[in-house]
Amino acid sequence: MSKPEAVKEPSMEMQKAMIARNYDAITSKHETGRKVSSTFVPGNLNELLMCYDIVNNLPEINAIQAGMRKASGGYIMEAEKSGHSEDVCTYVKADIGQMSKGNIAPNGRPYPNPDVLMLSYTGCYTFMKWFELLREEYKCPTLMLHVPYEGDGHSTKHMRDYIVKQLKEVVIPGLEQVSGVKFDIDRLRQYLRNRAKAEDNLVWRLEQGKNKPPSPIDAYFGGVYYIGPIFTAFRGTEDAVTYYEIVRKEVQNRVENHQGPLTPEGTYFNDQKYRLIVEGPPNWTNFREFWKMFYDEGAIVVASSYTKVGGLYDQGFRHDPDNPLESLADYCLGCYTNLNLPTRVDLLAKYVEEYEADGLLINSIKSCNSFSAGQLMIMKEVERRTGRPGAFIETDLVDPRYFSAANVKNRLESYFQMIEQKARGGGSKTVAA
């Protein structure tokens, strides 16, 4: 028996329509003559690509779409048959396997070959290896923006200047050559103005997790919908501005009516027993089932690191149209995957305190070193600083073989029992793999 259709709010329906239009723009390349890029989510230069009328295609998002449609498992196995290790990022294997299976987009049409690969390196070494494979496959120009890692926990003027120099000398001339369009800095400024408006409303929405009781948002499962447009192909557009205005009205309505977020079953999640901070990406192949484990137990996620993977807007960063290239550089430097471990600990401990959370839950992704490296240390240090218990579960991005519903459910139940014991005055300890 099939599951009932998930209930969606107007903002979710708008985002669904935006995504569909972008896939139509990508797959109609040969009819329209528009150029297509492939790029990644953290540190992507969507506003700059729009200056050249280039359509933005994101392999990570394509892998997520395949995971949610239950197609990624077959793609991953196909990639492994061709020699890719089980330990390789499953986004990569889903993308590579999909290419060998006809490379069909969600709208049923084949993806065209990209005209340019635009790589902004922000803390994930896998991205570079992934684009080496794509470059070998597509034989198209590759532009790389190297973003220095914030190893000392902060960026410097030298780092910023280094990125701006690359934008001026490599990226902008390269995009001009691919597109045949001359760079217009005033056009970029307008896109950044749009982006700053959207950023304000996104941050307002994220901070509503501080409300209690109940929180009107879920900052992890619901959060992936809220970050979608601003982290992908719509950032800087008028559509994104409108989308975040709609989101703000929806959340404001729930605040005024003392309601929690809407679950996929169409009921408001008002009975919230546990307030959590979550570190790490979600599992996409069993996304709805994973989410249900939380609200069945009364657990709401009030803040998460995953909603910062495309930018730390809630820590004060905004794009500045008066300094457009410098602003793009600052954005790339500040993506979550570009932060060192002590900075991540600082951020997560701050969330536990500011959002009055009961503890930190880590969803460790088997194939994602960018998030998973050091997570046990992160959890233990956040526990030490805050006195709140931590827990550790393990799934994967889009490989269904690494989602064990029974295992995850048992660990969550044990964690919630620990939180109850802590509330009754018991000691804090760690649930770990």
Side-chain angles (χ1 to χ4, degrees), residues 31-320:
E31 293 90 337
T32 64
R34 292 187 68 180
K35 303 295 184 181
V36 172
S37 72
S38 280
T39 192
F40 295 114
V41 170
N44 81 73
L45 302 174
N46 192 63
E47 297 89 350
L48 199 57
L49 292 168
M50 290 196 300
C51 289
Y52 302 96
D53 301 314
I54 296 175
V55 185
N56 196 352
N57 188 20
L58 297 106
E60 291 157 280
I61 303 302
N62 299 340
I64 290 171
Q65 291 282 335
M68 298 189 85
R69 298 196 321 273
K70 309 294 186 184
S72 57
Y75 296 150
I76 290 166
M77 294 182 69
E78 191 68 24
E80 289 177 354
K81 286 179 186 176
S82 66
H84 293 277
S85 167
E86 285 190 11
D87 295 325
V88 169
C89 171
T90 51
Y91 281 162
V92 177
K93 290 187 291 188
D95 188 36
I96 299 298
Q98 187 165 335
M99 285 193 290
S100 68
K101 291 286 191 179
N103 218 14
I104 304 301
N107 62 4
R109 301 185 64 186
Y111 289 109
N113 289 358
D115 297 285
V116 61
L117 302 174
M118 178 67 246
L119 170 60
S120 301
Y121 173 73
T122 51
C124 180
Y125 179 72
T126 299
F127 283 175
M128 292 194 290
K129 304 305 293 183
W130 192 348
F131 260 35
E132 286 179 7
L133 295 171
L134 296 183
R135 181 172 59 187
E136 183 178 330
E137 173 72 21
Y138 294 124
K139 307 292 192 297
C140 67
T142 303
L143 301 174
M144 179 173 174
L145 180 69
H146 179 252
V147 178
Y149 180 60
E150 289 196 354
D152 293 329
H154 60 86
S155 60
T156 65
K157 183 179 184 300
H158 176 73
M159 291 177 179
R160 181 199 232 199
D161 292 344
Y162 173 63
I163 297 173
V164 171
K165 187 173 188 288
Q166 292 177 78
L167 289 171
K168 290 179 177 179
E169 297 181 2
V170 178
V171 176
I172 288 173
L175 292 175
E176 285 180 336
Q177 186 172 3
V178 166
S179 66
V181 176
K182 191 71 176 172
F183 176 57
D184 181 350
I185 198 166
D186 290 329
R187 189 175 178 183
L188 177 59
R189 287 192 172 105
Q190 182 55 49
Y191 292 143
L192 294 185
R193 288 188 191 97
N194 289 343
R195 181 168 179 172
K197 291 178 186 177
E199 288 164 356
D200 284 342
N201 281 327
L202 171 64
V203 169
W204 180 89
R205 172 263 164 206
L206 292 173
E207 292 185 339
Q208 298 314 300
K210 296 176 182 179
N211 281 279
K212 58 180 297 192
S215 167
I217 65 161
D218 182 283
Y220 188 55
F221 299 102
V224 303
Y225 293 99
Y226 294 129
I227 63 175
I230 207 165
F231 286 1
T232 60
F234 313 105
R235 199 181 58 237
T237 66
E238 293 288 348
D239 275 349
V241 174
T242 301
Y243 170 83
Y244 285 102
E245 289 171 349
I246 292 173
V247 166
R248 181 162 184 157
K249 290 177 182 176
E250 289 173 348
V251 176
Q252 182 64 50
N253 182 66
R254 295 201 292 273
V255 171
E256 292 171 356
N257 289 284
H258 304 286
Q259 292 173 329
L262 195 65
T263 73
E265 275 67 37
T267 56
Y268 287 104
F269 181 20
N270 296 331
D271 185 18
Q272 301 173 6
K273 300 177 184 176
Y274 313 109
R275 294 169 61 85
L276 305 179
I277 309 299
V278 174
E279 152 76 359
N283 168 269
W284 300 106
T285 58
N286 298 75
F287 184 80
R288 189 170 169 182
E289 180 184 7
F290 193 22
W291 190 354
K292 193 173 189 300
M293 290 180 189
F294 283 72
Y295 59 78
D296 279 352
E297 294 289 338
I300 186 80
V301 181
V302 291
S304 71
S305 61
Y306 186 69
T307 52
K308 315 307 182 304
V309 71
L312 292 173
Y313 306 108
D314 65 329
Q315 301 305 301
F317 172 75
R318 293 292 184 279
H319 279 80
D320 179 7

Side-chain angles (χ1 to χ4, degrees), residues 87 89 123-124 126 344 365-375:
D87 295 325
C89 171
C124 180
T126 299
R344 296 187 194 192
I365 299 299
K366 178 184 181 296
S367 68
C368 181
N369 290 331
S370 292
F371 266 97
S372 299
Q375 282 182 328

